[in-house]
Amino acid sequence: MKRVFLKGGLVLLFASLIVNEATAQRTNRRRGNQPASTEAQPQQQVNNNQPVTGVDPYGNLPIRVDSSGGSETVKPSLRNDAAFDKSSVSARTPLTYEHLRADDALFAEKVWRELDLREKMNQTFRYEAKDDNGSQMFIDMLLKAVNSGEVTAFADDRFSTPMTLADISQLTVGSLDTAYEYDIKDISKIVGRVVTKRKFDAKTVVKLRLKEEWVFDRESSRMFCRILGVAPLKTEYLPNGQERGSSIMFWVYYPDLRPMLAKYEVYNPKNMGQSRMTWEELFESRMFSSYIVKSTLDNAANRNIRQYIKDPILALLEGDNIKDKIFNYEQDLWSY
Protein backbone atom coordinates (compact mmCIF):
# COMPACT_ATOMS: atom_id res chain seq x y z
CA MET A 1 0.00 0.00 0.00
CA LYS A 2 2.83 2.41 0.79
CA ARG A 3 4.32 1.83 -2.66
CA VAL A 4 0.96 2.50 -4.32
CA PHE A 5 0.53 5.80 -2.48
CA LEU A 6 4.12 6.81 -3.25
CA LYS A 7 3.70 6.14 -6.98
CA GLY A 8 0.41 8.08 -7.04
CA GLY A 9 2.03 11.07 -5.34
CA LEU A 10 4.89 11.13 -7.85
CA VAL A 11 2.47 11.00 -10.77
CA LEU A 12 0.43 13.91 -9.38
CA LEU A 13 3.60 15.95 -8.73
CA PHE A 14 4.88 15.36 -12.26
CA ALA A 15 1.47 16.30 -13.76
CA SER A 16 1.33 19.52 -11.75
CA LEU A 17 4.81 20.51 -12.96
CA ILE A 18 3.77 20.01 -16.61
CA VAL A 19 0.59 22.09 -16.13
CA ASN A 20 2.53 24.94 -14.48
CA GLU A 21 5.10 25.03 -17.27
CA ALA A 22 2.41 25.10 -19.98
CA THR A 23 0.59 27.88 -18.16
CA ALA A 24 3.80 29.94 -17.91
CA GLN A 25 4.51 29.53 -21.64
CA ARG A 26 0.96 30.54 -22.54
CA THR A 27 1.21 33.64 -20.34
CA ASN A 28 4.53 34.69 -21.88
CA ARG A 29 3.11 34.28 -25.40
CA ARG A 30 0.15 36.51 -24.56
CA ARG A 31 2.39 39.17 -23.08
CA GLY A 32 4.48 39.16 -26.24
CA ASN A 33 1.42 40.10 -28.33
CA GLN A 34 0.10 42.75 -25.97
CA PRO A 35 1.54 46.28 -25.63
CA ALA A 36 4.22 46.66 -22.96
CA SER A 37 3.04 47.74 -19.58
CA THR A 38 3.30 51.43 -18.87
CA GLU A 39 4.35 50.81 -15.27
CA ALA A 40 8.03 50.54 -16.24
CA GLN A 41 7.81 53.79 -18.24
CA PRO A 42 8.40 57.16 -16.60
CA GLN A 43 5.26 58.88 -15.46
CA GLN A 44 4.71 62.30 -17.04
CA GLN A 45 2.12 64.96 -16.65
CA VAL A 46 -0.38 64.84 -19.50
CA ASN A 47 -1.12 68.11 -21.25
CA ASN A 48 -3.85 68.27 -23.86
CA ASN A 49 -1.96 70.88 -25.85
CA GLN A 50 1.36 69.02 -25.98
CA PRO A 51 2.03 65.40 -26.94
CA VAL A 52 3.38 63.08 -24.23
CA THR A 53 6.98 62.13 -24.91
CA GLY A 54 8.63 58.92 -23.79
CA VAL A 55 5.47 56.82 -24.23
CA ASP A 56 5.23 54.54 -27.27
CA PRO A 57 1.54 54.16 -28.22
CA TYR A 58 2.36 51.06 -30.29
CA GLY A 59 3.77 49.09 -27.35
CA ASN A 60 7.46 49.40 -28.28
CA LEU A 61 6.85 47.60 -31.57
CA PRO A 62 9.10 48.56 -34.51
CA ILE A 63 7.35 50.92 -36.94
CA ARG A 64 8.23 50.78 -40.63
CA VAL A 65 7.11 53.56 -43.00
CA ASP A 66 6.15 52.43 -46.49
CA SER A 67 6.49 55.41 -48.85
CA SER A 68 5.70 53.49 -52.04
CA GLY A 69 2.29 55.16 -52.22
CA GLY A 70 3.72 58.62 -52.82
CA SER A 71 3.28 60.79 -55.86
CA GLU A 72 4.06 59.17 -59.18
CA THR A 73 6.79 60.66 -61.36
CA VAL A 74 6.10 60.66 -65.09
CA LYS A 75 9.23 59.94 -67.13
CA PRO A 76 9.58 61.65 -70.52
CA SER A 77 9.79 59.57 -73.66
CA LEU A 78 13.32 58.97 -74.96
CA ARG A 79 12.06 58.88 -78.54
CA ASN A 80 9.60 60.97 -80.52
CA ASP A 81 6.29 59.44 -79.44
CA ALA A 82 4.38 60.90 -82.41
CA ALA A 83 4.32 60.59 -86.18
CA PHE A 84 5.04 64.32 -86.55
CA ASP A 85 7.25 66.90 -84.89
CA LYS A 86 5.65 68.39 -81.74
CA SER A 87 8.66 70.29 -80.45
CA SER A 88 6.95 73.63 -81.12
CA VAL A 89 4.29 72.91 -78.48
CA SER A 90 6.64 73.61 -75.57
CA ALA A 91 7.68 76.92 -77.17
CA ARG A 92 4.20 78.44 -77.24
CA THR A 93 3.62 81.73 -75.42
CA PRO A 94 0.24 83.39 -74.81
CA LEU A 95 -0.64 86.70 -76.38
CA THR A 96 -0.52 89.71 -74.10
CA TYR A 97 -3.81 91.22 -73.00
CA GLU A 98 -5.07 94.43 -74.51
CA HIS A 99 -4.51 97.33 -72.12
CA LEU A 100 -7.67 98.64 -70.48
CA ARG A 101 -7.61 102.11 -68.96
CA ALA A 102 -9.50 102.73 -65.73
CA ASP A 103 -11.13 105.85 -67.24
CA ASP A 104 -12.59 103.74 -70.06
CA ALA A 105 -14.13 101.15 -67.73
CA LEU A 106 -17.76 102.26 -67.97
CA PHE A 107 -18.96 99.04 -66.32
CA ALA A 108 -17.01 96.58 -64.17
CA GLU A 109 -18.36 93.70 -62.08
CA LYS A 110 -16.58 90.77 -60.46
CA VAL A 111 -18.13 87.31 -60.75
CA TRP A 112 -17.27 84.02 -59.04
CA ARG A 113 -18.35 80.87 -60.86
CA GLU A 114 -17.89 77.13 -60.36
CA LEU A 115 -17.10 74.44 -62.88
CA ASP A 116 -18.41 70.98 -62.13
CA LEU A 117 -15.89 68.67 -63.80
CA ARG A 118 -18.40 65.82 -63.79
CA GLU A 119 -20.48 67.55 -66.46
CA LYS A 120 -20.12 66.29 -70.00
CA MET A 121 -18.77 69.57 -71.37
CA ASN A 122 -16.05 69.62 -68.69
CA GLN A 123 -14.81 66.07 -69.17
CA THR A 124 -11.59 67.35 -70.76
CA PHE A 125 -10.51 68.57 -67.31
CA ARG A 126 -10.41 64.94 -66.10
CA TYR A 127 -8.58 63.44 -69.06
CA GLU A 128 -6.29 60.75 -67.61
CA ALA A 129 -3.15 60.39 -69.68
CA LYS A 130 0.60 60.77 -69.38
CA ASP A 131 2.79 62.83 -71.69
CA ASP A 132 6.34 64.11 -71.75
CA ASN A 133 5.30 67.15 -69.70
CA GLY A 134 3.56 65.00 -67.09
CA SER A 135 -0.01 64.09 -66.28
CA GLN A 136 -2.65 65.64 -68.52
CA MET A 137 -5.28 65.95 -65.79
CA PHE A 138 -5.87 69.63 -65.09
CA ILE A 139 -5.46 69.43 -61.31
CA ASP A 140 -2.15 67.57 -61.76
CA MET A 141 -0.92 70.29 -64.10
CA LEU A 142 -1.96 72.93 -61.59
CA LEU A 143 -0.21 71.19 -58.69
CA LYS A 144 2.92 70.69 -60.78
CA ALA A 145 3.11 74.41 -61.54
CA VAL A 146 2.64 75.27 -57.86
CA ASN A 147 5.13 72.71 -56.50
CA SER A 148 7.77 73.66 -59.04
CA GLY A 149 7.53 77.33 -58.07
CA GLU A 150 6.34 78.38 -61.51
CA VAL A 151 3.29 80.05 -59.96
CA THR A 152 2.46 81.15 -56.43
CA ALA A 153 -0.48 79.73 -54.50
CA PHE A 154 -2.53 82.09 -52.33
CA ALA A 155 -4.85 81.42 -49.41
CA ASP A 156 -7.50 83.97 -50.45
CA ASP A 157 -9.11 85.21 -53.63
CA ARG A 158 -7.55 88.66 -53.20
CA PHE A 159 -4.09 87.10 -53.60
CA SER A 160 -2.80 88.75 -50.44
CA THR A 161 -1.51 85.73 -48.47
CA PRO A 162 1.01 83.49 -50.26
CA MET A 163 1.16 79.84 -49.25
CA THR A 164 4.35 77.87 -48.76
CA LEU A 165 5.13 74.50 -50.30
CA ALA A 166 4.69 72.94 -46.87
CA ASP A 167 1.13 74.30 -46.75
CA ILE A 168 0.42 72.86 -50.18
CA SER A 169 1.84 69.47 -49.23
CA GLN A 170 -0.46 69.36 -46.20
CA LEU A 171 -3.45 69.90 -48.48
CA THR A 172 -2.37 67.27 -50.98
CA VAL A 173 -1.14 64.64 -48.55
CA GLY A 174 -2.89 61.30 -48.58
CA SER A 175 -4.29 59.51 -45.58
CA LEU A 176 -2.17 57.21 -43.43
CA ASP A 177 -3.04 53.54 -43.02
CA THR A 178 -1.51 51.39 -40.25
CA ALA A 179 -1.29 47.63 -40.69
CA TYR A 180 0.09 44.90 -38.44
CA GLU A 181 3.15 42.86 -39.37
CA TYR A 182 2.98 39.23 -38.19
CA ASP A 183 5.66 36.67 -37.55
CA ILE A 184 6.16 34.22 -40.41
CA LYS A 185 6.42 31.19 -38.15
CA ASP A 186 3.68 32.23 -35.72
CA ILE A 187 0.93 34.24 -37.41
CA SER A 188 -0.66 35.03 -34.05
CA LYS A 189 2.39 37.01 -32.95
CA ILE A 190 2.65 40.72 -33.89
CA VAL A 191 6.24 41.78 -34.58
CA GLY A 192 5.68 45.33 -35.87
CA ARG A 193 3.51 47.84 -37.67
CA VAL A 194 3.67 49.24 -41.19
CA VAL A 195 2.50 52.82 -41.84
CA THR A 196 1.50 53.30 -45.48
CA LYS A 197 0.98 56.75 -46.93
CA ARG A 198 -1.56 56.98 -49.71
CA LYS A 199 -0.93 59.33 -52.58
CA PHE A 200 -3.20 62.28 -53.27
CA ASP A 201 -6.16 61.30 -55.43
CA ALA A 202 -6.69 63.99 -58.07
CA LYS A 203 -10.17 62.58 -58.77
CA THR A 204 -11.39 64.01 -55.46
CA VAL A 205 -11.16 67.45 -57.08
CA VAL A 206 -14.44 67.55 -58.99
CA LYS A 207 -14.96 71.33 -58.99
CA LEU A 208 -13.03 74.45 -59.91
CA ARG A 209 -13.81 78.02 -58.93
CA LEU A 210 -13.03 80.98 -61.17
CA LYS A 211 -12.83 84.62 -60.25
CA GLU A 212 -13.34 86.93 -63.19
CA GLU A 213 -14.24 90.51 -63.96
CA TRP A 214 -16.53 91.76 -66.71
CA VAL A 215 -15.49 95.20 -68.00
CA PHE A 216 -17.15 97.31 -70.68
CA ASP A 217 -14.52 99.37 -72.48
CA ARG A 218 -16.15 102.46 -73.96
CA GLU A 219 -13.12 103.14 -76.14
CA SER A 220 -13.66 99.93 -78.11
CA SER A 221 -17.39 99.72 -77.24
CA ARG A 222 -17.25 96.08 -76.22
CA MET A 223 -17.41 93.90 -73.13
CA PHE A 224 -14.24 92.17 -71.93
CA CYS A 225 -14.04 89.22 -69.57
CA ARG A 226 -10.76 88.78 -67.75
CA ILE A 227 -10.19 85.71 -65.57
CA LEU A 228 -8.35 86.72 -62.40
CA GLY A 229 -7.97 83.52 -60.41
CA VAL A 230 -8.44 79.74 -60.43
CA ALA A 231 -9.01 77.61 -57.33
CA PRO A 232 -9.45 73.82 -57.08
CA LEU A 233 -12.16 72.58 -54.70
CA LYS A 234 -11.38 69.39 -52.80
CA THR A 235 -14.26 67.09 -51.90
CA GLU A 236 -14.56 66.41 -48.17
CA TYR A 237 -16.10 63.19 -46.80
CA LEU A 238 -17.55 62.16 -43.47
CA PRO A 239 -16.07 59.18 -41.59
CA ASN A 240 -18.87 56.97 -42.95
CA GLY A 241 -17.91 57.84 -46.55
CA GLN A 242 -20.76 60.27 -47.19
CA GLU A 243 -19.88 63.42 -49.12
CA ARG A 244 -19.88 66.42 -46.79
CA GLY A 245 -19.08 69.21 -49.25
CA SER A 246 -16.09 70.88 -50.85
CA SER A 247 -13.40 73.25 -49.63
CA ILE A 248 -11.06 75.60 -51.48
CA MET A 249 -7.49 74.30 -51.53
CA PHE A 250 -5.71 77.43 -52.80
CA TRP A 251 -5.99 80.27 -55.31
CA VAL A 252 -3.70 80.82 -58.30
CA TYR A 253 -3.43 84.14 -60.12
CA TYR A 254 -4.57 83.32 -63.65
CA PRO A 255 -2.28 85.74 -65.58
CA ASP A 256 0.69 84.00 -63.91
CA LEU A 257 -0.72 80.63 -64.98
CA ARG A 258 -1.23 81.50 -68.67
CA PRO A 259 2.34 80.66 -69.85
CA MET A 260 2.02 77.17 -68.39
CA LEU A 261 -1.45 76.60 -69.81
CA ALA A 262 -0.22 77.58 -73.28
CA LYS A 263 2.15 74.56 -73.27
CA TYR A 264 -0.51 71.95 -72.49
CA GLU A 265 -2.98 70.73 -75.08
CA VAL A 266 -6.61 69.93 -74.41
CA TYR A 267 -7.90 66.48 -75.17
CA ASN A 268 -9.90 66.32 -78.39
CA PRO A 269 -11.96 63.14 -78.89
CA LYS A 270 -12.50 63.92 -82.59
CA ASN A 271 -8.93 64.55 -83.74
CA MET A 272 -5.74 64.15 -81.72
CA GLY A 273 -3.71 65.85 -84.46
CA GLN A 274 -3.57 69.48 -85.46
CA SER A 275 -7.05 70.40 -84.21
CA ARG A 276 -6.09 70.49 -80.53
CA MET A 277 -6.26 73.79 -78.68
CA THR A 278 -4.27 74.72 -75.61
CA TRP A 279 -5.69 75.17 -72.13
CA GLU A 280 -5.10 78.91 -72.39
CA GLU A 281 -7.22 79.02 -75.54
CA LEU A 282 -9.95 76.99 -73.85
CA PHE A 283 -10.26 79.45 -70.96
CA GLU A 284 -10.09 82.52 -73.21
CA SER A 285 -12.70 81.02 -75.56
CA ARG A 286 -14.79 80.06 -72.51
CA MET A 287 -15.39 76.53 -73.75
CA PHE A 288 -16.58 75.18 -70.41
CA SER A 289 -19.82 74.85 -68.50
CA SER A 290 -20.22 76.78 -65.26
CA TYR A 291 -22.68 78.54 -62.97
CA ILE A 292 -22.36 81.75 -60.95
CA VAL A 293 -22.05 81.41 -57.17
CA LYS A 294 -21.26 85.02 -56.24
CA SER A 295 -21.23 88.48 -57.79
CA THR A 296 -20.66 92.07 -56.74
CA LEU A 297 -23.74 93.10 -58.72
CA ASP A 298 -26.47 94.22 -56.28
CA ASN A 299 -24.60 92.51 -53.45
CA ALA A 300 -23.79 95.12 -50.81
CA ALA A 301 -23.26 92.42 -48.13
CA ASN A 302 -20.71 90.59 -50.32
CA ARG A 303 -22.38 87.21 -49.76
CA ASN A 304 -22.50 84.04 -51.81
CA ILE A 305 -25.79 83.25 -53.48
CA ARG A 306 -26.33 80.19 -51.30
CA GLN A 307 -26.07 82.38 -48.19
CA TYR A 308 -29.29 84.25 -48.97
CA ILE A 309 -30.97 81.67 -51.23
CA LYS A 310 -31.00 78.23 -49.62
CA ASP A 311 -32.82 76.37 -52.36
CA PRO A 312 -30.23 75.05 -54.88
CA ILE A 313 -32.56 75.38 -57.88
CA LEU A 314 -33.41 79.00 -57.05
CA ALA A 315 -29.70 79.66 -56.49
CA LEU A 316 -28.95 78.47 -60.03
CA LEU A 317 -31.73 80.68 -61.38
CA GLU A 318 -30.27 83.64 -59.48
CA GLY A 319 -26.90 82.96 -61.11
CA ASP A 320 -28.56 82.99 -64.54
CA ASN A 321 -30.29 86.23 -63.57
CA ILE A 322 -26.90 87.84 -62.82
CA LYS A 323 -25.55 86.61 -66.15
CA ASP A 324 -28.55 88.10 -67.98
CA LYS A 325 -28.06 91.46 -66.25
CA ILE A 326 -24.45 91.66 -67.45
CA PHE A 327 -25.46 90.63 -70.96
CA ASN A 328 -28.37 93.07 -71.12
CA TYR A 329 -26.20 95.97 -69.96
CA GLU A 330 -24.07 95.70 -73.08
CA GLN A 331 -27.06 95.15 -75.36
CA ASP A 332 -29.03 98.10 -73.96
CA LEU A 333 -26.20 100.49 -74.83
CA TRP A 334 -26.95 99.98 -78.51
CA SER A 335 -29.89 101.46 -80.38
CA TYR A 336 -31.41 99.70 -83.36
Side-chain angles (χ1 to χ4, degrees), residues 321 323-333:
N321 185 29
K323 181 176 64 176
D324 292 339
K325 287 182 180 179
I326 297 175
F327 177 80
N328 292 332
Y329 177 85
E330 181 184 13
Q331 298 299 316
D332 292 343
L333 293 176

Side-chain angles (χ1 to χ4, degrees), residues 87-97 150 254-264 278-281 284:
S87 59
S88 60
V89 175
S90 59
R92 293 174 178 173
T93 55
L95 297 175
T96 57
Y97 280 140
E150 189 175 354
Y254 176 76
D256 295 342
L257 194 64
R258 290 183 67 212
M260 187 276 294
L261 295 179
K263 298 177 183 179
Y264 283 84
T278 63
W279 280 101
E280 194 268 340
E281 293 172 342
E284 298 299 330

